[in-house]
C-alpha cells in the first residue's frame, strides 16, 4: 500500500524516540525472557501474547507496563515546545501503544479464562490498576501541551498520521485537560457520581427479588416442566420471581390474559420510583459533565466520535425507520388483533398480548421444530463450515497450529494467511468449551493489534474467540441451537475483521473502532446463516453429516427471523427514542415522555398502566447511554451492503475481497462514513433494510 510505504519512511526513530525504542526493547526482552524461562513448546512467530502468566507474573508485568508508560510520557512531556516534531512527540506514543497492547492484554484476559482463582483475581486487579493509570495518562496537561503544539503546526506527514494526532488531542480534551483546576475537580467528582449512580441502578435490578404468587390454574398453557421449576408455598401457590427467564415464557405461553397482564405490569414496575429517581439524577449529572467539557448536552458529547455525529441525525434516522415500518407493523398488528378477537373477544389489545399472539401466529404460519433443527448443527461441523465460508469468501487460508502453548488443553490456535501472497495475516485462539471460572458468554477479544512498526515490519494481530459449549461425552456430538450458530458466525466475523485490518497505528487496529461501524461486518455476515448455499456448508445431521438442512428448512428459518420484525423494531425504536430524548434535553419528564411516545410509535397501543420501562432498562444507564440506536444503525448499513454487493452471489470471492480490502482493511485509519461511501459509491440508505423486513411478511 502506498500509504504504508509513506508512513514507513516517516517513522524514523531519532532523539527522544530513540530512548523510547530502547526502553520498549527492554520490555520486549523481558517478555522474551519470560517465554524462555517457561517455554516447553515452540513460540508463536509474531505473537507477543503471554498465555500462561502466574499471579505474581501478572503483577510484575503490570508494574513494568506502568513504569514504562510513565517513562515514555515523561520523555514526551520534556520536549521543548519550540522543538516538537513527529519523531519526538507522536512516534514515541504510537510505539508505546503498539508494543504495550499485547502486554496489557496478557495481564487482563486471564480473568476470563483461567481455572485458577488466584490468577483471575490478580488479572482483575491488574485491569483496575492499568485502567486507572491510563486514565491518569490521558489527563496529563504537560503531555497534552506538547502534542497540541505539534498539531498546531499542521506539519502532517500523511493522512493517517494526521488522524492519529487529532485523535490524541481529542482524547486529552475529552478528559478535561483544558479545564481550570477547580473545573477538573468538579469533572472528576461528576464522573465518580455517574459511576456510583449507574452501579446503584444496575445493582437494584440484579438484587430485586420481587415475585407474584399464582395458582396453577392462573398459569394455564405453561409447559409442565416450567410449572415444576417454580417454588411452591405452603398454601399451594406458585412463586414466580420477576426474572426474564420466568416472565418471557409466561408472556409467550400463558393462556390467561389477566395473568399475562399482572406479570407484565409487575415486571415493568421493578425498582420503580428508586431507579427512576436515580436515572433522572444521573441524566442531569451527565449533562453537567458534558457541559463542563463544552458540549450542549450528553448526547452531543457521546455522538461526536460516531458515524451519526449529532442527535438531530439520530432522531431523523429513528423517525425514518419508524415511519417506513408503520405499514408493515400495522399489517402485523392487525393479524394479531384478528387472532385475539377469535380467541378472546373484543377486549382492547395491550402490550401483555403482544408476545402471546406472536407465538400463536408463528405456530399457525411456520412449520418449524427448533429441536429438530438443532440436530443438524454439531459444533465441530459448524465451526469447520464457518472456516470454509470465510476462507472462500475472503481469499484467506486458515490452518491449525499444533503443539503450541495454550492456557487449557481444549484451546486451539489457528493461523490466517493471505492465499494470493502467502503473507501471514494473524492468529486466533478458539476457546469454546465450558469450564469452571470461565467467562459465561460468547465474545471476541483482541490480544494483539496489528500495526506498522518503526523498522518497517508489520506486527500481526491476534484474536481470541470465547464461548461456552459443553464438552462432548463419549460419541455424542455437541449440538448447537440455531441461535448459537448465528452467534458463532457473528462473532467469528469480528475475528476476521480484526485480522484483516492493515492500519499503520495500533490504535486504528483491533476492535476499538467507531461504535456505529464495528457491528456492521458481523451483522452483514449473519445473512449467510439464512441462505441455503451457505447454511448447507455448515450443517449435517448428527447421525449422518452428509444430510444437510433442507432448502425448505432454510426458508422457514429466514421467515422466522423476519416474522413480526416491524412490531419488534418499533419496540426497539421506542426505547432508542427515549434514550436519545433524555440525553439530548434537560429536565425531561421520563414518564410523560413515555406516555406520549408509546402509543405514537406502537400504533395506538398504550403504555401499561402503572409501569415505567425506564426503571428497568439497564442499557440506558450502563453501556449504551445516548447510543441505543447504534445496533439498528448497524443493521441498516449491513442490509444495504448485502443487497448491493452480495445478495445475488453469496460466495463471490471478488465481492468478498473488495469488502475485505475496502471496508475491513482500513480499520479506524479512515472515517467510517467515508469508508462506506467510497465502497458503496454513496452514503448508506435504509430502503434495503425496510425491503428485507417486508420480504417475508405475513
Amino acid at each position: 500500500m502506498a500509504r504504508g510505504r509513506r508512513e514507513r519512511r516517516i517513522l524514523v526513530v531519532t532523539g527522544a524516540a530513540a530512548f523510547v525504542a530502547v526502553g520498549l526493547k527492554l520490555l520486549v526482552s523481558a517478555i522474551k525472557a519470560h517465554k524462555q524461562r517457561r517455554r516447553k513448546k515452540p513460540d508463536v512467530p509474531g505473537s507477543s501474547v503471554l498465555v500462561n502468566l502466574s499471579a505474581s507474573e501478572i503483577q510484575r508485568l503490570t508494574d513494568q507496563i506502568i513504569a514504562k508508560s510513565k517513562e515514555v510520557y515523561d520523555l514526551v512531556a520534556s520536549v521543548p515546545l519550540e522543538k516538537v516534531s513527529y519523531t519526538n512527540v507522536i512516534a514515541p506514543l504510537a510505539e508505546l501503544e503498539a508494543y504495550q497492547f499485547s502486554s496489557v492484554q496478557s495481564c487482563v484476559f486471564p480473568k476470563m479464562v483461567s481455572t485458577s482463582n488466584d490468577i483471575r483475581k490478580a488479572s482483575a486487579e491488574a485491569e483496575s490498576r492499568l485502567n486507572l493509570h491510563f486514565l491518569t495518562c490521558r489527563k496529563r496537561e504537560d503531555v497534552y501541551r506538547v502534542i497540541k503544539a505539534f498539531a498546531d503546526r499542521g506539519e502532517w506527514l500523511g493522512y493517517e498520521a494526521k488522524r492519529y494526532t487529532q485523535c490524541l488531542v481529542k482524547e486529552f480534551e475529552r478528559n478535561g485537560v483544558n479545564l481550570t483546576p477547580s473545573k477538573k475537580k468538579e469533572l472528576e467528582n461528576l464522573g465518580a457520581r455517574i459511576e456510583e449512580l449507574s452501579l446503584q441502578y444496575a445493582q437494584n435490578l440484579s438484587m430485586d427479588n420481587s415475585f407474584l404468587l399464582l395458582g396453577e390454574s392462573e398459569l394455564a398453557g405453561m409447559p409442565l416442566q416450567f410449572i415444576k421449576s417454580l417454588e411452591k408455598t405452603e398454601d399451594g401457590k406458585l412463586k414466580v420471581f420477576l426474572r426474564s427467564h420466568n416472565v418471557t415464557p409466561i408472556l409467550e405461553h400463558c393462556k390467561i390474559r389477566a395473568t399475562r397482564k399482572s406479570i407484565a405490569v409487575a415486571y415493568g414496575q421493578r425498582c420503580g420510583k428508586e431507579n427512576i429517581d436515580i436515572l433522572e439524577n444521573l441524566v442531569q449529572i451527565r449533562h453537567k459533565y458534558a457541559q463542563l467539557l463544552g458540549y450542549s448536552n450528553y448526547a452531543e458529547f457521546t455522538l461526536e466520535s460516531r458515524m451519526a455525529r449529532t442527535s438531530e441525525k439520530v432522531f431523523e434516522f429513528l423517525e425514518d425507520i419508524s415511519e417506513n415500518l408503520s405499514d408493515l407493523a400495522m399489517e402485523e398488528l392487525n393479524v394479531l388483533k384478528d387472532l385475539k378477537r377469535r380467541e378472546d373477544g373484543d377486549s382492547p389489545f395491550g402490550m401483555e398480548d403482544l408476545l402471546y399472539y406472536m407465538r400463536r401466529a408463528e405456530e399457525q404460519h411456520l412449520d418449524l421444530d427448533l429441536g429438530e433443527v438443532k440436530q443438524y448443527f454439531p459444533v465441530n461441523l459448524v465451526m469447520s463450515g464457518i472456516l470454509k465460508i470465510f476462507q472462500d469468501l475472503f481469499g484467506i487460508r486458515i490452518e491449525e497450529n499444533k503443539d503450541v502453548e495454550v492456557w487449557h488443553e481444549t484451546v486451539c490456535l489457528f493461523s490466517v494467511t493471505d492465499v494470493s501472497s502467502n503473507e501471514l495475516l494473524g492468529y486466533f485462539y478458539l476457546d469454546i468449551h465450558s469450564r469452571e471460572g470461565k467467562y459465561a458468554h460468547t465474545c471476541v477479544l483482541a490480544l494483539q493489534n496489528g500495526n506498522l512498526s518503526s523498522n518497517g515490519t508489520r506486527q500481526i494481530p491476534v484474536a481470541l474467540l470465547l464461548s461456552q459449549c459443553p464438552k462432548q461425552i463419549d460419541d455424542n456430538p455437541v449440538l448447537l441451537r440455531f441461535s448459537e450458530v448465528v452467534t458463532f458466525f457473528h462473532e467469528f466475523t469480528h475475528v476476521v475483521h480484526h485480522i484483516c485490518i492493515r492500519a499503520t497505528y495500533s490504535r486504528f487496529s483491533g476492535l476499538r473502532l467507531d461504535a456505529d461501524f464495528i457491528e456492521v461486518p458481523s451483522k452483514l455476515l449473519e445473512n449467510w446463516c439464512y441462505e441455503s448455499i451457505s447454511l448447507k456448508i455448515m450443517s449435517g445431521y448428527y447421525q449422518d453429516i452428509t444430510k444437510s438442512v433442507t432448502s425448505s428448512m432454510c426458508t422457514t428459518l429466514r421467515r422466522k427471523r423476519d416474522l413480526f420484525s416491524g412490531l419488534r423494531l418499533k419496540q426497539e425504536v421506542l426505547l432508542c427514542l427515549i434514550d436519545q430524548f433524555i440525553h439530548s434535553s434537560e429536565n425531561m419528564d421520563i414518564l410523560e415522555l413515555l406516555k406520549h411516545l408509546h402509543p405514537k410509535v406502537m400504533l395506538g397501543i398504550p403504555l401499561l398502566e402503572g409501569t415505567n420501562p425506564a426503571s428497568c432498562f439497564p442499557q440506558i444507564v450502563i453501556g449504551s447511554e445516548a447510543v441505543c440506536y447504534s445496533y439498528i444503525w448497524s443493521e441498516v448499513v449491513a442490509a444495504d451492503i448485502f443487497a448491493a454487493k452480495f445478495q445475488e452471489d453469496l460466495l463471490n470471492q471478488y465481492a468478498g475481497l473488495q469488502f475485505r480490502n475496502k471496508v475491513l482493511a482500513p480499520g479506524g485509519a479512515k472515517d467510517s462514513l467515508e469508508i462506506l461511501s467510497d465502497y458503496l459509491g454513496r452514503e448508506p440508505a435504509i430502503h434495503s433494510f425496510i425491503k428485507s423486513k417486508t420480504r417475508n411478511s405475513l
Side-chain angles (χ1 to χ4, degrees):
M1 293 170 61
R3 183 171 67 247
R5 291 193 294 271
R6 182 171 66 250
E7 299 291 356
R8 200 171 299 157
R9 289 196 296 272
I10 64 174
L11 288 175
V12 180
V13 182
T14 61
F19 290 103
V20 174
V22 171
L24 289 171
K25 285 178 181 177
L26 291 174
L27 181 59
V28 172
S29 297
I31 293 171
K32 289 181 177 177
H34 164 87
K35 288 186 173 183
Q36 291 292 336
R37 286 194 305 271
R38 297 183 58 130
R39 185 168 61 191
K40 296 178 182 177
K41 296 183 178 180
D43 281 341
V44 178
S47 173
S48 298
V49 181
L50 303 173
V51 300
N52 272 318
L53 293 177
S54 66
S56 60
E57 288 171 329
I58 288 172
Q59 184 177 2
R60 282 198 298 273
L61 183 55
T62 301
D63 292 339
Q64 291 172 4
I65 292 167
I66 291 172
K68 180 47 57 185
S69 177
K70 187 177 184 304
E71 181 182 336
V72 172
Y73 272 75
D74 287 345
L75 262 173
V76 171
S78 70
V79 177
L81 297 184
E82 67 276 9
K83 293 186 178 181
V84 295
S85 67
Y86 180 89
T87 53
N88 62 18
V89 175
I90 305 303
L93 296 173
E95 291 281 321
L96 179 68
E97 283 187 357
Y99 284 106
Q100 203 166 242
F101 186 85
S102 58
S103 299
V104 170
Q105 295 301 85
S106 297
C107 291
V108 302
F109 94 90
K111 74 185 177 74
M112 304 179 74
V113 301
S114 178
T115 55
S116 163
N117 285 327
D118 289 341
I119 291 176
R120 291 198 302 271
K121 182 180 177 182
S123 177
E125 290 172 352
E127 183 176 41
S128 296
R129 288 183 62 203
L130 289 166
N131 284 341
L132 181 60
H133 168 71
F134 293 135
L135 178 60
T136 302
C137 289
R138 292 191 290 270
K139 293 180 177 181
R140 285 188 57 167
E141 189 176 345
D142 54 351
V143 178
Y144 168 75
R145 279 199 308 268
V146 175
I147 298 171
K148 189 69 164 62
F150 172 74
D152 288 344
R153 288 190 175 187
E155 298 173 354
W156 307 119
L157 301 173
Y159 175 83
E160 196 172 344
K162 175 182 178 180
R163 184 171 172 83
Y164 178 75
T165 304
Q166 291 172 334
C167 285
L168 288 177
V169 170
K170 181 57 70 175
E171 184 176 63
F172 277 91
E173 291 175 349
R174 286 172 66 88
N175 279 285
V177 73
N178 280 327
L179 300 179
T180 64
S182 62
K183 294 293 186 184
K184 285 180 182 177
K185 185 64 177 175
E186 184 180 355
L187 189 74
E188 184 179 331
N189 291 338
L190 289 173
R193 185 65 177 145
I194 287 171
E195 187 173 340
E196 179 186 339
L197 289 172
S198 300
L199 184 61
Q200 185 60 58
Y201 182 104
Q203 284 180 340
N204 288 346
L205 282 175
S206 67
M207 296 175 67
D208 178 69
N209 286 317
S210 53
F211 59 88
L212 293 184
L213 293 176
L214 299 171
E216 192 165 335
S217 62
E218 295 175 281
L219 291 168
M222 298 306 298
L224 181 60
Q225 185 178 2
F226 179 87
I227 298 293
K228 288 182 176 180
S229 72
L230 300 176
E231 181 183 337
K232 186 173 283 192
T233 63
E234 291 182 0
D235 59 356
K237 291 284 189 179
L238 298 170
K239 185 181 285 189
V240 180
F241 285 96
L242 297 174
R243 299 285 181 174
S244 59
H245 63 271
N246 286 332
V247 171
T248 301
I250 290 174
L251 293 179
E252 287 181 338
H253 292 272
C254 185
K255 295 179 179 179
I256 311 301
R257 188 186 187 211
T259 300
R260 297 198 305 271
K261 185 168 185 177
S262 63
I263 285 286
V265 169
Y267 191 64
Q269 290 176 335
R270 288 173 304 145
C271 307
K273 186 177 186 311
E274 185 177 3
N275 267 7
I276 290 297
D277 288 345
I278 290 174
L279 180 59
E280 289 177 345
N281 192 10
L282 182 58
V283 168
Q284 293 309 310
I285 294 173
R286 283 175 176 161
H287 286 316
K288 289 178 183 177
Y289 186 94
Q291 287 160 2
L292 267 180
L293 293 169
Y295 300 88
S296 58
N297 54 60
Y298 190 77
E300 183 182 318
F301 167 73
T302 305
L303 295 170
E304 180 184 41
S305 59
R306 288 172 171 259
M307 215 189 306
R309 296 286 189 268
T310 66
S311 277
E312 290 75 18
K313 183 69 174 177
V314 173
F315 281 125
E316 178 186 342
F317 168 74
L318 292 173
E319 287 163 5
D320 279 354
I321 293 291
S322 184
E323 182 179 342
N324 279 277
L325 285 171
S326 287
D327 288 346
L328 172 63
M330 183 58 78
E331 177 187 331
E332 294 168 346
L333 182 58
N334 286 335
V335 169
L336 300 183
K337 285 181 174 179
D338 287 345
L339 185 56
K340 179 181 180 301
R341 193 177 297 113
R342 292 196 299 271
E343 294 188 357
D344 196 37
D346 291 325
S347 57
F349 192 97
M351 289 301 294
E352 70 274 17
D353 299 315
L354 202 58
L355 291 181
Y356 179 76
Y357 286 104
M358 280 181 178
R359 182 191 62 80
R360 294 283 292 114
E362 184 176 304
E363 288 176 345
Q364 294 182 9
H365 290 87
L366 296 181
D367 181 17
L368 185 67
D369 181 350
L370 290 177
E372 180 187 355
V373 171
K374 182 177 180 179
Q375 296 177 3
Y376 286 86
F377 293 105
V379 63
N380 292 337
L381 186 60
V382 170
M383 290 309 303
S384 64
I386 289 175
L387 297 187
K388 175 173 172 49
I389 290 169
F390 277 86
Q391 289 179 104
D392 293 347
L393 185 61
F394 292 122
I396 56 179
R397 182 169 60 253
I398 300 173
E399 296 175 312
E400 185 175 358
N401 291 43
K402 303 280 190 179
D403 194 37
V404 293
E405 188 176 10
V406 291
W407 53 91
H408 192 269
E409 60 184 9
T410 59
V411 177
C412 300
L413 175 70
F414 294 82
S415 62
V416 181
T417 307
D418 178 72
V419 169
S420 61
S421 67
N422 210 35
E423 178 187 2
L424 177 65
L425 299 177
Y427 299 101
F428 65 90
Y429 292 92
L430 280 187
D431 185 354
I432 64 172
H433 294 291
S434 58
R435 60 178 177 271
E436 187 178 355
K438 185 181 170 186
Y439 182 68
H441 304 286
T442 301
C443 69
V444 174
L445 302 177
L447 298 183
Q448 180 169 292
N449 281 349
N451 72 281
L452 192 65
S453 65
S454 57
N455 63 9
T457 60
R458 179 164 286 281
Q459 178 171 279
I460 58 173
V462 181
L464 163 61
L465 174 56
L466 286 175
S467 192
Q468 280 279 23
C469 296
K471 295 178 184 176
Q472 182 168 326
I473 300 175
D474 298 326
D475 293 327
N476 300 315
V478 176
L479 303 177
L480 296 179
R481 297 190 299 271
F482 182 69
S483 60
E484 293 171 326
V485 174
V486 177
T487 297
F488 262 120
F489 212 94
H490 177 106
E491 296 299 332
F492 191 72
T493 306
H494 285 307
V495 170
V496 173
H497 188 179
H498 175 56
I499 289 173
C500 287
I501 292 175
R502 305 290 286 175
T504 297
Y505 295 92
S506 174
R507 175 175 293 235
F508 298 147
S509 183
L511 303 174
R512 298 189 302 173
L513 307 179
D514 179 344
D516 284 351
F517 173 76
I518 188 63
E519 293 295 336
V520 168
S522 290
K523 292 304 298 181
L524 166 67
L525 269 294
E526 278 185 25
N527 286 287
W528 274 246
C529 296
Y530 296 92
E531 301 292 338
S532 293
I533 189 171
S534 44
L535 202 53
K536 288 176 183 290
I537 293 173
M538 52 183 171
S539 66
Y541 189 62
Y542 77 103
Q543 291 180 333
D544 181 2
I545 62 172
T546 63
K547 297 179 181 178
S548 61
V549 294
T550 63
S551 297
S552 62
M553 193 179 289
C554 296
T555 300
T556 306
L557 286 167
R558 186 167 59 246
R559 286 196 66 207
K560 178 177 173 59
R561 175 195 66 181
D562 295 334
L563 206 60
F564 299 109
S565 57
L567 284 170
R568 295 183 196 277
L569 278 162
K570 282 275 195 176
Q571 287 182 282
E572 289 184 46
V573 167
L574 173 64
L575 294 172
C576 292
L577 284 169
I578 297 298
D579 170 55
Q580 201 60 212
F581 268 116
I582 67 174
H583 286 111
S584 60
S585 308
E586 292 193 68
N587 302 314
M588 181 71 69
D589 186 319
I590 299 174
L591 182 56
E592 287 303 312
L593 178 64
L594 268 163
K595 286 180 177 178
H596 168 72
L597 282 179
H598 198 285
K600 183 179 178 182
V601 175
M602 294 305 298
L603 306 173
I605 304 176
L607 181 68
L608 277 167
E609 190 67 33
T611 67
N612 189 340
S615 71
C616 44
F617 181 31
Q619 296 95 317
I620 216 167
V621 171
I622 299 178
S624 297
E625 56 274 17
V627 295
C628 287
Y629 73 89
S630 188
Y631 211 66
I632 303 177
W633 181 286
S634 299
E635 286 189 282
V636 167
V637 176
D640 196 8
I641 294 173
F642 182 70
K645 302 290 185 177
F646 290 102
Q647 193 163 13
E648 299 304 318
D649 187 356
L650 264 68
L651 299 180
N652 184 321
Q653 191 175 97
Y654 175 79
L657 286 170
Q658 288 284 300
F659 184 75
R660 173 185 151 190
N661 294 328
K662 292 186 176 183
V663 179
L664 302 184
K670 286 177 65 177
D671 177 79
S672 300
L673 188 57
E674 182 184 341
I675 289 172
L676 293 169
S677 298
D678 288 348
Y679 173 65
L680 290 168
R682 53 172 172 77
E683 286 196 10
I686 71 169
H687 64 273
S688 295
F689 176 73
I690 301 300
K691 185 177 180 181
S692 72
K693 298 306 174 186
T694 57
R695 181 176 56 186
N696 293 305
S697 59
L698 291 170

